[in-house]
Amino acid sequence: MIPSPQLEPMLRKLRLSGILDSLESRNKQAIEQGLAFTDFLGILVQDEVARRDQKKFDSRFRRANFRGNKTIESYNFSYCPKVHQSLIRDLATCKFIEEKANVLIAGPCGTGKSHIAEALGQCAIRKDFDALFITLTQLLGQLHAARATGSYEKKLQYFATVDCLIIDDFGLKPMKSPQDEDFHDLISERYERKSTILTSNLDYPEWGDAFPNRLLGAATLDRLRHGAYRLTLEGKSYRSPKGENMSEKGLE
């Protein structure tokens, strides 16, 4: 029961209706503990701030299109004992987004590139940045479809303005023309404006092989690499047959 029924319409008018969720229990707490009015009000405000922060996080999480719920804490570092843990934890502060720097992650299949990339994306949305997780194939497909409907520039700007764009599986399939041009346009738009996280199974020297036009590829990679943080993962794949490595979990 609401302590004062006339509060409800006023709270709704002020767009503070979330306070109603905890008002009764907090009022009971205030009476039992003899809280001062200002302390009671402070608790209610804290509840509302927490509720709004969670709502904002949930909205960003949905828009981010993450594959799962991968975090830095759930990453199994034992799979890649040589991984630069201090760099990963430094990246988790999202300083790279404030610097508008890129993060390049390379390594064999199954060593956790996508896991780390998504985990950094989660760190980003917890810091009030927008993030989007997408494979290179999906990204190029959407840009191609937008070109066919005359909405290419709008779609390009959508990808160009995300605070933290996570592009998974770069180089998994060689690009064709005009895919390499679309990718170059996007990276050029984001250059020194927004942060891009790129994962690839290719070693860094092989990244140019993904472009049919080597000159265009060199220009694109030059922008991606400038001031970027590089992370190399080594080790065996966690995707072993059932019965092997049953105790090892947490990578994707």
Side-chain angles (χ1 to χ4, degrees):
M1 181 177 179
I2 300 175
S4 180
Q6 64 266 30
L7 276 177
E8 181 173 354
M10 290 189 290
L11 288 172
R12 292 191 184 281
K13 187 174 183 179
L14 292 171
R15 297 184 180 178
L16 293 171
S17 57
I19 288 178
L20 296 170
D21 296 337
S22 61
L23 182 56
E24 184 176 355
S25 61
R26 291 305 192 186
N27 184 61
K28 183 179 179 181
Q29 177 187 354
I31 294 172
E32 292 176 348
Q33 298 180 8
L35 298 179
F37 173 75
T38 51
D39 293 332
F40 171 55
L41 179 61
I43 292 174
L44 285 177
V45 172
Q46 285 179 342
D47 289 343
E48 178 66 8
V49 170
R51 186 189 69 83
R52 293 190 180 194
D53 285 347
Q54 185 62 48
K55 184 177 180 181
K56 188 185 299 182
F57 174 83
D58 292 342
S59 177
R60 283 199 169 107
F61 190 91
R62 287 192 299 272
R63 294 198 304 269
N65 194 41
F66 293 136
R67 291 177 173 178
N69 189 20
K70 303 298 189 293
T71 64
I72 296 295
E73 293 73 22
S74 65
Y75 179 78
N76 193 335
F77 284 99
S78 66
Y79 257 94
C80 301
K82 296 181 180 179
V83 70
H84 199 331
Q85 293 191 36
S86 60
L87 174 58
I88 293 176
R89 301 195 185 284
D90 184 60
L91 292 172
T93 66
C94 296
K95 181 177 67 175
F96 73 96
I97 299 179
E98 296 171 356
E99 296 173 345
K100 297 177 175 54
N102 299 327
V103 178
L104 312 180
I105 308 175
C109 293
T111 49
K113 301 182 299 296
S114 300
H115 184 127
I116 292 176
E118 180 182 320
L120 293 177
Q122 281 217 37
C123 292
I125 63 177
R126 291 186 186 280
K127 295 280 188 179
D128 290 337
F129 294 109
D130 286 322
L132 176 65
F133 187 101
I134 190 170
T135 67
L136 180 60
T137 299
Q138 291 170 334
L139 185 148
L140 294 175
Q142 290 187 29
L143 286 174
H144 176 74
R147 191 186 296 279
T149 59
S151 57
Y152 176 80
E153 288 299 328
K154 182 178 180 180
K155 179 62 71 171
L156 179 67
Q157 286 306 308
Y158 167 69
F159 289 130
T161 55
V162 177
D163 295 321
C164 181
L165 179 63
I166 305 164
I167 305 175
D168 200 31
D169 290 336
F170 169 78
L172 189 62
K173 300 177 183 178
M175 285 181 277
K176 301 176 182 178
S177 181
Q179 291 177 327
D180 55 344
E181 298 175 24
D182 293 343
F183 187 60
H184 174 78
D185 288 346
L186 175 60
I187 298 305
S188 294
E189 284 292 315
R190 295 184 61 80
Y191 179 57
E192 295 187 326
R193 295 187 182 97
K194 299 291 181 181
S195 296
T196 304
I197 299 177
L198 206 67
T199 76
S200 179
N201 292 334
L202 300 176
D203 291 333
Y204 293 115
E206 301 174 320
W207 283 25
D209 297 340
F211 296 85
N213 183 326
R214 293 303 179 92
L215 184 62
L216 188 63
T220 307
L221 292 177
D222 185 59
R223 288 167 172 79
L224 275 170
R225 292 168 175 163
H226 181 222
Y229 294 90
R230 291 193 183 191
L231 186 62
T232 302
L233 303 183
E234 300 175 0
K236 60 183 180 180
S237 172
Y238 87 100
R239 299 187 183 98
S240 53
K242 287 186 177 180
E244 297 183 21
N245 304 317
M246 292 299 289
S247 63
E248 303 291 355
K249 298 179 180 179
L251 294 179
E252 187 164 301

